[in-house]
Amino acid sequence: MRTLALAAAALGLALSALPAAAQETPPLPRVFWSFEGPFGTIDQAAAQRGYQVYKQVCSACHSMTQFHFRDLAGIGYTPEQIAAIAASVQVPGPPNAQGQSSPVPGKPADAFPSPFPTQAAAEAAFNGAVPPDQSLMANAFEGGPTYIYAILNGFRNPPPGITVPPGRYYNIYFPGNLIAMPPPLHDGAVTYADGTPATVPQMAHDVATFLYFVANPHADQRKRIGVHVVLFLVFVTGLTYALKRKVWSDVEH
Amino acid sequence: MASSSEAATANSEGHAAEGAERRDFLKMVTLATAAVGVCAVAWPFIDSMNPAKDTIAAGSPIDVDLSQVAPGQQIVVLWREKPILLVNRPAEALKTLQSSAMINRLRDPDSRVLQQPPYADNWHRSVKPEWAVLVGICTHLGCLPQYFPNPSANTPVADWPGGYLCPCHGSKYDLAGRVWQGVPAPFNLPVPPYNFLDARTVRIGENPPNVTYSLNDIVQI
Amino acid sequence: MAELGLQENEFKNPVVHWIDARLPVFTAMHKEYRQFPTPKNFNYFWNFGALATVNLAIMIITGIFLAMNYNPSTAGAFDSVERIMRDVNWGWMIRYLHVVGASLFFVTVYVHIFRGLYYGSYKKPREMIWMLGVVLLLLLMATAFMGYVLPWGQMSFWGATVITNLFGAIPVVGHGIVTWLWGGFAVANPTLNRFFSLHYLLPFIIVGFLVLHIMALHTVGSNNPLGIDVKGPQDTLPFHPYYTVKDSVGVCVYLIVFAILVFFIPHQPLLMDPNNSIQANPLQTPSDIVPEWYFLPFYAILRSVPNKLGGVVLLFGSIFVLFFLPWLDTSPVRSCRFRPIMRWLWVLFVIDVFVLGYVGANRPVGIFILLGRIATVWYYIHMLIFLPLVGKLERPLPLPESISKSVLGGGALPSAAAARPMEKA
């Protein structure tokens, strides 16, 4: 009886894991990430390269308001490097006597600035299609960083018969295929500080790694602690179960 | 057969007693391990109430531009939610600080009580004599002392040499933040950690190189 | 010692004795959780009430610490959750504990309910325990719904919009009720603020009803897998140490599951809809509005009726019908172990709930429409037709003489015992 109930449960769970409805987009490619799995960690070198891509390409249009320069310590930057990086970016300064603020060099406590002073300015610049904030992008879509990688690699010429309206671009992985972002990457767009050749797949992989870190800054710590917690709990369970057997040893059951 | 059944009973009693001992030891170990687990889980919750990373970052040192502060003028900035008084002390004020008439009025003229960093342990309680950097929190009950720098026969009180008067209960300090005798406030105004980056910029919240000092070290804020 | 109205008690420790004489909490604990005669034949399905209680404690503690940093305004809510995740020390852990705890709360409660259905724990004399349990389920669902709105992500906002709009289906007063719930013209800042207040309040109402639920249980005593009454002390064990230690094992296993989810899989594919990582935008509806998994069966029932009011009635009806279970089921026998037909109908009912959940997870198109309707109809047929009819028509298996005899013998007794009259439920 119990096995039947368990079988029913398994069936139900298996069914609900199937995809919701047929999509016109192909299934996401299988991409390997250093941080996948229960023991995976974020590749800090890749994340630093990804930050370079983000700073030189993406930050021109995208904001990342939940992330601060001091958070870069999580991918291996030293306090001096962070202070230098922050100082190289212009952030909104305090208001002057007329109530206007002008840009000043950033400090580690500052958040990544938005390229536009207000939401209204952003909408005006992009005809309503405001580039989404990147702080949680790696968590905001099914597939996570794989989705980001696929989109960045997914720009194609439209197939015959499909007209792409102005302001849109054809991307095989974007639902509906018409994305408002022009292809941001081309080979050699960035010269990596560590000399890695900057192909589009490489840059896409690195920036997706960086974005995963931005969305999940505690991922490595979380998994490390998790190993300790689960091992401890397994140990306590063993002890408790042995105690239960001892306590119940004098009862027929 | 009786003897074997007696032996059997004795045996089972012995087993029961042994079992009880083993159960108690197991129980102790299990409870102790569980207690360790509970403490390990409790700590993150307690630590979550400590200042968060953004709060600490907001308390980072701030840089203040002193180029616009004229002699005799005071500006007030907030650092870690506390008012910091920055005063451009003219030469007459510095003379008053060293005069015996002033020193005789003070409770702790030599700054014996630890309310300042080692680099402010001098007659002007600062790095540079002409610049006062003080925490503007009266050591009595925490009000913001008011700045009356000019000597006067009657303002704000009779025979005023220049300094601070706290509006709440009348405590008085000189222009180096040293407290008078006969007022409710017990200690001199604290001096925060600070460092001159150049002639016109001071960084509040950071010591000069090779000095460790923080506001947590003083006797009372 | 009975002078002055002091309670007599036998505690040796003078401090404990003094307190108990004036406020007999120790006597109560001793009676209710030490001596309390509990059937000796519980299986591990009887752990789930205790697990739900542990879960409630975890939710309240993590919730209070989250509330120290949460900002319940539409302008600040999303950012305050991000601040908790990034800047508050251990904030990410407290938040994941709360998210995972919400899902596991429903796991324990649903298993607890399915256990009650299978073993007839709702039947006389336990009707009050059961009905208080249904109230607890409703309170839990309300708390979870409001809690999900608080992060103010896309799914928070649109889920709140869809579900509050349901009340508009009520004739005449519906629109007024919805406006009153919203505090405005749509789900907005007033709605979020009041949901935060109520989300903080309801768990303590749950604690109150939980106390009543347990009091009602301790009045009549627990059911057991055989569904037969306790005949005497030979059928029971004192709750402590037997069931305290057995519940502890269950709690430990439960915490392992909890920890694996919190530390290794807090996000996709099981928990935390990706859409909720996007801040609420009233001008953009997500392509799929889906509630969390624990509401999916009810969501499917709601969508199976093409009429708005009909869907709402069937949705709430599916829970209200549970109140009447003790009277809908006419069987003289409690436990499905001895009900050869109902035990299979119970399996089909469980499968039906899972099918409803699967339908709820998908868009209402194609095969899912028909499947949802069949599963909804089956749900109501089970409750309103099978339970009354099968109870009358079924021939139950012979019940064991007693719990202790059954434990010794290992099952139903031979034909001599079959001649005994059937135990009345």
Side-chain angles (χ1 to χ4, degrees):
Chain A
M1 187 47 51
R2 238 166 283 152
T3 41
L4 257 158
L6 283 170
L11 175 72
L13 272 173
L15 282 175
S16 51
L18 291 176
Q23 307 277 333
E24 310 93 44
T25 55
L28 292 177
R30 175 70 176 98
V31 184
F32 289 92
W33 303 101
S34 66
F35 44 82
E36 64 182 50
F39 307 108
T41 55
I42 295 173
D43 177 356
Q44 296 199 339
Q48 291 198 5
R49 288 196 299 271
Y51 171 61
Q52 212 185 330
V53 174
Y54 180 81
K55 180 171 177 184
Q56 291 179 18
V57 179
C58 321
S59 62
C61 300
H62 285 282
S63 61
M64 198 189 256
T65 52
Q66 311 284 2
F67 195 71
H68 300 79
F69 291 104
R70 54 181 165 84
D71 298 325
L72 286 170
I75 48 173
Y77 286 107
T78 65
E80 296 78 29
Q81 286 173 310
I82 290 174
I85 290 171
S88 73
V89 176
Q90 296 286 301
V91 301
N96 61 13
Q98 284 75 41
Q100 292 152 339
S101 88
S102 44
V104 294
K107 293 220 267 310
D110 289 323
F112 276 29
S114 169
F116 297 93
T118 60
Q119 178 75 0
E123 280 174 22
F126 289 106
N127 261 331
V130 176
D133 186 275
Q134 294 292 300
S135 313
L136 288 170
M137 188 51 64
N139 290 346
F141 291 93
E142 289 241 13
T146 303
Y147 175 79
I148 296 174
Y149 176 86
I151 292 284
L152 291 173
N153 280 297
F155 289 92
R156 304 279 184 273
N157 289 319
I162 309 261
T163 20
V164 176
R168 294 289 181 270
Y169 305 85
Y170 191 83
N171 189 298
I172 53 174
Y173 290 106
F174 188 73
N177 295 124
L178 298 175
I179 193 172
M181 171 172 74
L185 301 175
H186 56 272
D187 287 334
V190 163
T191 315
Y192 278 136
D194 65 0
T196 312
T199 61
V200 170
Q202 177 73 45
M203 288 188 286
H205 198 268
D206 291 337
V207 82
T209 301
F210 172 67
L211 289 177
Y212 179 83
F213 167 72
V214 169
N216 302 283
H218 298 284
D220 289 356
Q221 182 194 17
R222 166 167 55 82
K223 291 180 191 175
R224 222 176 29 244
I225 295 176
V227 171
H228 289 105
V229 170
V230 172
L231 284 179
F232 174 82
L233 283 172
V234 167
F235 176 62
V236 162
T237 306
L239 283 179
T240 313
Y241 186 62
L243 185 61
K244 183 256 177 193
R245 292 284 298 259
K246 259 268 139 273
V247 167
W248 280 75
S249 59
D250 56 354
V251 173
E252 287 112 9
H253 63 282
Chain B
M1 290 306 98
S3 59
S4 71
S5 70
E6 272 168 19
T9 330
N11 227 0
S12 69
E13 274 170 10
H15 276 309
E18 222 183 86
E21 265 179 46
R22 227 182 291 137
R23 182 201 307 181
D24 280 338
F25 176 69
L26 182 56
K27 183 164 105 168
M28 285 301 117
V29 170
T30 310
L31 285 176
T33 318
V36 165
V38 167
C39 289
V41 155
W43 166 245
F45 286 88
I46 297 170
D47 192 27
S48 77
M49 291 175 66
N50 273 326
K53 294 208 206 87
D54 63 336
T55 310
I56 293 177
S60 301
I62 58 168
D63 295 343
V64 184
D65 178 10
L66 298 172
S67 56
Q68 304 297 314
V69 184
Q73 191 188 355
Q74 172 182 270
I75 61 170
V76 183
V77 299
L78 273 182
W79 172 72
R80 292 203 174 162
E81 313 295 324
K82 302 185 219 305
I84 308 294
L85 316 173
L86 297 127
V87 183
N88 188 339
R89 294 184 288 213
E92 313 82 65
L94 292 177
K95 272 216 237 34
T96 314
L97 286 184
Q98 297 177 85
S99 72
S100 51
M102 186 74 234
I103 290 178
N104 287 336
R105 287 177 151 135
L106 302 174
R107 196 198 292 275
D108 181 17
D110 299 321
S111 297
R112 293 230 175 84
V113 177
L114 186 70
Q115 290 283 92
Q116 59 283 320
Y119 44 85
D121 196 359
N122 45 48
W123 62 267
H124 47 93
R125 297 187 82 230
S126 56
V127 171
K128 300 184 185 193
E130 62 274 21
W131 286 106
V133 182
L134 300 165
V135 177
I137 299 178
C138 181
T139 54
H140 178 225
L141 288 173
C143 299
L144 178 66
Q146 288 174 331
Y147 180 59
F148 294 102
N150 298 317
S152 159
N154 46 30
T155 312
V157 294
D159 203 20
W160 179 249
Y164 292 94
L165 173 67
C166 185
C168 291
H169 309 100
S171 296
K172 305 183 192 71
Y173 306 82
D174 71 0
L175 283 171
R178 295 179 293 188
V179 67
W180 287 33
Q181 298 172 24
V183 299
F187 303 114
N188 298 339
L189 289 179
V191 175
Y194 69 96
N195 184 28
F196 275 89
L197 298 180
D198 56 49
R200 32 170 282 183
T201 320
V202 64
R203 175 168 289 174
I204 316 284
E206 186 181 271
N207 288 306
N210 301 321
V211 182
T212 33
Y213 164 77
S214 93
L215 268 187
N216 293 331
D217 302 340
I218 66 173
V219 169
Q220 186 213 286
I221 192 94
Chain C
M1 269 288 277
E3 92 264 18
L4 305 177
L6 292 170
Q7 298 297 311
E8 296 191 356
N9 67 78
E10 263 137 47
F11 291 103
K12 306 256 187 348
N13 180 303
V15 174
V16 172
H17 187 96
W18 185 95
I19 296 176
D20 200 75
R22 291 156 178 76
L23 182 67
V25 282
F26 296 101
T27 299
M29 285 303 291
H30 191 85
K31 179 161 166 268
E32 304 299 335
Y33 281 105
R34 210 178 182 95
Q35 297 170 326
F36 183 66
T38 319
K40 58 166 62 166
N41 59 337
F42 277 1
N43 56 35
Y44 273 97
F45 283 111
W46 259 258
N47 271 20
F48 281 81
L51 292 181
T53 308
V54 166
N55 201 313
L56 176 64
I58 293 175
M59 295 305 279
I60 290 180
I61 293 173
T62 52
I64 289 175
F65 278 88
L66 286 173
M68 290 184 186
N69 290 291
Y70 174 71
N71 177 351
S73 70
T74 49
F78 190 83
D79 288 349
S80 72
V81 172
E82 277 307 293
R83 180 174 171 270
I84 290 170
M85 294 295 292
R86 293 169 190 277
D87 288 327
V88 172
N89 299 332
W90 301 98
W92 58 269
M93 191 182 86
I94 301 177
R95 198 262 179 119
Y96 283 148
L97 281 170
H98 204 72
V99 166
V100 169
S103 276
L104 287 184
F105 208 160
F106 278 94
V107 169
T108 50
V109 165
Y110 286 157
V111 172
H112 187 66
I113 295 176
F114 281 133
R115 179 281 307 261
L117 290 175
Y118 188 79
Y119 293 106
S121 305
Y122 50 85
K123 293 167 85 59
K124 180 176 177 181
R126 297 181 181 88
E127 306 95 320
M128 180 59 81
I129 307 171
W130 176 261
M131 291 195 293
L132 288 168
V134 179
V135 171
L136 283 168
L137 174 64
L138 283 168
L139 287 171
L140 177 64
M141 292 170 73
T143 309
F145 164 65
M146 290 190 291
Y148 194 69
V149 178
L150 300 183
W152 208 241
Q154 274 285 64
M155 214 47 96
S156 306
F157 176 83
W158 289 100
T161 303
V162 166
I163 299 302
T164 46
N165 265 315
L166 289 184
F167 291 90
I170 303 172
V172 182
V173 292
H175 179 74
I177 290 183
V178 175
T179 308
W180 175 76
L181 281 175
W182 284 342
F185 308 109
V187 172
N189 201 46
T191 326
L192 181 60
N193 266 298
R194 65 189 55 181
F195 277 9
F196 177 60
S197 169
L198 294 173
H199 182 75
Y200 207 120
L201 167 71
L202 246 46
F204 297 100
I205 311 262
I206 288 178
V207 169
F209 272 94
L210 182 62
V211 169
L212 293 178
H213 186 69
I214 297 177
M215 280 172 73
L217 173 71
H218 281 222
T219 305
V220 299
S222 293
N223 192 17
N224 67 84
L226 296 176
I228 58 180
D229 290 332
V230 162
K231 300 288 193 301
Q234 71 281 6
D235 288 342
T236 65
L237 295 166
F239 191 83
H240 177 72
Y242 295 97
Y243 285 107
T244 43
V245 77
K246 189 170 180 186
D247 276 348
S248 300
V249 176
V251 167
C252 286
V253 173
Y254 177 71
L255 289 177
I256 292 178
V257 173
F258 214 129
I260 290 176
L261 288 170
V262 163
F263 292 101
F264 296 105
I265 4 178
H267 289 278
Q268 308 166 18
L270 295 169
L271 305 170
M272 297 193 77
D273 190 306
N275 271 303
N276 235 26
S277 291
I278 302 172
Q279 190 163 1
N281 184 350
L283 299 175
Q284 185 187 46
T285 314
S287 52
D288 280 299
I289 300 182
V290 195
E292 286 285 277
W293 69 268
Y294 38 82
F295 286 145
L296 289 176
F298 303 104
Y299 198 52
I301 294 177
L302 172 74
R303 291 190 303 186
S304 64
V305 185
N307 173 286
K308 183 175 180 183
L309 180 59
V312 174
V313 165
L314 283 194
L315 163 63
F316 287 109
S318 68
I319 306 167
F320 283 128
V321 74
L322 293 174
F323 274 111
F324 301 101
L325 219 58
W327 296 276
L328 284 169
D329 181 8
T330 53
S331 168
V333 163
R334 289 196 190 106
S335 170
C336 280
R337 273 214 203 152
F338 302 100
R339 300 185 61 183
I341 300 179
M342 186 47 83
R343 68 193 325 195
W344 294 108
L345 290 179
W346 178 90
V347 173
L348 290 177
F349 179 74
V350 174
I351 293 179
D352 179 68
V353 172
F354 276 95
V355 169
L356 280 172
Y358 173 55
V359 167
N362 285 281
R363 287 207 203 107
V365 293
I367 184 84
F368 295 108
I369 304 182
L370 184 62
L371 201 53
R373 289 185 182 156
I374 294 176
T376 302
V377 167
W378 184 274
Y379 184 100
Y380 275 97
I381 286 182
H382 180 92
M383 290 289 167
L384 298 175
I385 299 182
F386 289 155
L387 281 176
L389 274 187
V390 173
K392 287 249 180 297
L393 299 177
E394 170 183 60
R395 201 151 174 268
L397 298 173
L399 297 172
E401 199 176 300
S402 75
I403 293 174
S404 49
K405 291 255 169 48
S406 153
V407 158
L408 285 173
L413 289 176
S415 50
R420 286 170 55 89
M422 238 49 99
E423 284 224 353
K424 288 288 176 232

